[in-house]
């Protein structure tokens, strides 16, 4: 599967049935050659240009099923994922990917 195939899929939370958006990016573990998480932009942005909204970073372990058109995820509280990203510092983020 290509990354561009991922970006056309809608992400649906099976807990409440809400559409979270579409995959915009992937976070990779280069050392182990695995996908760590998928990134879904917050829906309050206007064409991804305006707004200070944070992205929803969904760990790979929370993905239930990848279908033809959708990615089903299980997230009990989407806000906790957004808050977690807001508290991550750029230094901590970069530290994860240095070899």
């Amino acid at each position: 599967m290509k990354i561009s195939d991922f970006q056309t899929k809608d992400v649906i939370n099976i807990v409440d049935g809400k559409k979270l958006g579409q995959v915009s990016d992937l976070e990779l573990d280069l050392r182990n050659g695995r996908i760590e998480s998928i990134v879904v932009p917050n829906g309050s942005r206007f064409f991804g240009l305006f707004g200070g909204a944070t992205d929803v970073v969904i760990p790979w372990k929370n993905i239930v099923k990848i279908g033809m058109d959708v990615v089903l995820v299980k997230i009990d509280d989407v806000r906790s994922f957004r808050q977690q990203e807001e508290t991550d510092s750029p230094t901590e983020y970069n530290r994860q990917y240095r070899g």
Side-chain angles (χ1 to χ4, degrees):
M1 175 178 288
K2 298 177 185 176
I3 292 175
S4 59
D5 293 337
F6 246 123
Q7 292 176 321
T8 62
K9 297 181 187 299
D10 291 328
V11 179
I12 308 292
N13 187 0
I14 64 170
V15 173
D16 57 10
K18 289 186 180 179
K19 177 181 171 182
L20 301 176
Q22 291 185 325
V23 177
S24 66
D25 207 351
L26 301 173
E27 290 186 355
L28 305 173
D29 177 355
L30 297 177
R31 288 186 192 173
N32 297 312
R34 291 189 293 215
I35 298 172
E36 286 287 318
S37 56
I38 61 174
V39 180
V40 179
N42 187 339
S44 66
R45 292 184 182 181
F46 183 71
F47 293 110
L49 299 175
F50 304 110
T54 59
D55 295 332
V56 180
V57 179
I58 303 168
W60 189 258
K61 67 181 180 178
N62 289 73
I63 296 176
V64 176
K65 178 95 173 158
I66 300 172
M68 294 294 293
D69 300 320
V70 298
V71 177
L72 300 178
V73 299
K74 184 176 181 182
I75 301 174
D76 294 320
D77 187 9
V78 175
R79 287 174 293 168
S80 67
F81 286 93
R82 288 186 180 127
Q83 290 171 352
Q84 177 182 355
E85 184 178 89
E86 289 173 358
T87 60
D88 288 346
S89 68
T91 306
E92 184 64 30
Y93 179 79
N94 289 333
R95 196 175 306 150
Q96 295 174 2
Y97 298 101
R98 291 192 178 162

